[in-house]
Amino acid sequence: KAGVTQTPRYLIKTRGQQVTLSCSPISGHRSVSWYQQTPGQGLQFLFEYFSETQRNKGNFPGRFSGRQFSNSRSEMNVSTLELGDSALYLCASSLPETDYEQYFGPGTRLTVT
Amino acid sequence: AQSVSQHNHHVILSEAASLELGCNYSYGGTVNLFWYVQYPGQHLQLLLKYFSGDPLVKGIKGFEAEFIKSKFSFNLRKPSVQWSDTAEYFCAVNDRYSGGGADGLTFGKGTHLIIQP
């Protein structure tokens, strides 16, 4: 079974721009969560989607948003990029009945200049 | 909000040494506990998990962890480490609220483990 895939793997953007990252969960997984990983803050929960609905949200500004499609694929968007948004963005998927057992993708490395 | 502490940020051991990595979370209630591992150049992988039942759980590659509810701890152990265990190890907690629905995982800052041959 294929794992969680994320595209693109690397991205360089300029301050003020916006960016969209994509995540395809493991087949059959309907819950998708997003995390930000930085050297200073570690891994932080952004939000979680299930059946196209945002079910939970972490403590991030409204510039960070996401959505989920009917095939469970998910995108996250960051608008008005700031230098501090440079990070590894991780997507994780899980089965509905084992929501808490999450499987992670390789991440998208975003660099904001 | 829940918080997770991993006491050792960097650990260096020789092969065949025993390993114990500490993990404490901030408050109780019903929790799910996890250890994830990130090998160099690879993505996060689930090492083991505790949902309920026997507080001593066994994971992949000879790792085990013990949940001690009274101490809010979930320490990771391995009797004899190998060079291939060199990696970053993350403890994570998920609070199971009575209202249902999944919440995000709260991670510790990680422990960088280096095994010297």
Side-chain angles (χ1 to χ4, degrees), chain B residues 4-108:
Chain B
V4 178
S5 297
Q6 290 183 241
H7 315 299
N8 311 101
H9 296 298
H10 297 276
V11 173
I12 301 174
L13 295 172
S14 298
E15 276 194 314
S18 64
L19 169 72
E20 180 158 1
L21 300 182
C23 172
N24 286 90
Y25 57 97
S26 58
Y27 64 86
T30 305
V31 294
N32 299 309
L33 299 158
F34 306 84
W35 277 96
Y36 282 87
V37 60
Q38 191 168 30
Y39 296 105
Q42 297 186 29
H43 57 272
L44 276 168
Q45 299 174 40
L46 181 64
L47 203 53
L48 48 77
K49 61 184 184 287
Y50 172 81
F51 286 178
S52 64
D54 188 342
L56 184 63
V57 293
K58 296 191 184 299
I60 60 172
K61 305 187 179 186
F63 286 92
E64 63 179 32
E66 185 176 12
F67 169 53
I68 303 180
K69 190 173 183 178
S70 60
K71 294 184 178 180
F72 301 98
S73 71
F74 190 55
N75 293 352
L76 181 71
R77 300 195 291 247
K78 186 171 184 179
S80 176
V81 294
Q82 301 172 307
W83 177 79
S84 57
D85 293 325
T86 295
E88 190 89 18
Y89 291 81
F90 295 92
C91 181
V93 177
N94 177 285
D95 290 313
R96 287 195 280 167
Y97 297 107
S98 59
D103 201 347
L105 291 172
T106 301
F107 282 87

Side-chain angles (χ1 to χ4, degrees), chain A residues 20 32 36 47 49 55 58 62 70 95 98-99 104:
Chain A
T20 298
V32 173
Q36 182 195 65
F47 29 65
Y49 285 87
R55 202 155 57 163
S70 58
L95 288 165
T98 59
D99 283 336
F104 285 80

Side-chain angles (χ1 to χ4, degrees), chain A residues 33-84:
Chain A
S33 299
W34 289 89
Y35 294 83
Q36 182 195 65
Q37 186 177 22
T38 59
Q41 298 299 317
L43 280 149
Q44 294 183 285
F45 171 68
L46 279 156
F47 29 65
E48 187 242 348
Y49 285 87
F50 177 75
S51 292
E52 302 178 62
T53 302
Q54 186 180 88
R55 202 155 57 163
N56 288 289
K57 192 176 191 305
N59 190 25
F60 277 82
R63 299 185 298 106
F64 291 82
S65 62
R67 59 177 175 168
Q68 187 180 33
F69 302 95
S70 58
N71 61 359
S72 295
R73 193 177 68 84
S74 177
E75 289 181 347
M76 69 163 280
N77 183 278
V78 188
S79 62
T80 320
L81 283 166
E82 300 177 0
L83 294 179

Side-chain angles (χ1 to χ4, degrees), chain A residues 90-109:
Chain A
L90 296 170
C91 169
S93 73
S94 59
L95 288 165
E97 57 271 23
T98 59
D99 283 336
Y100 313 101
E101 187 171 332
Q102 299 185 356
Y103 294 86
F104 285 80
T108 294
R109 172 74 63 187

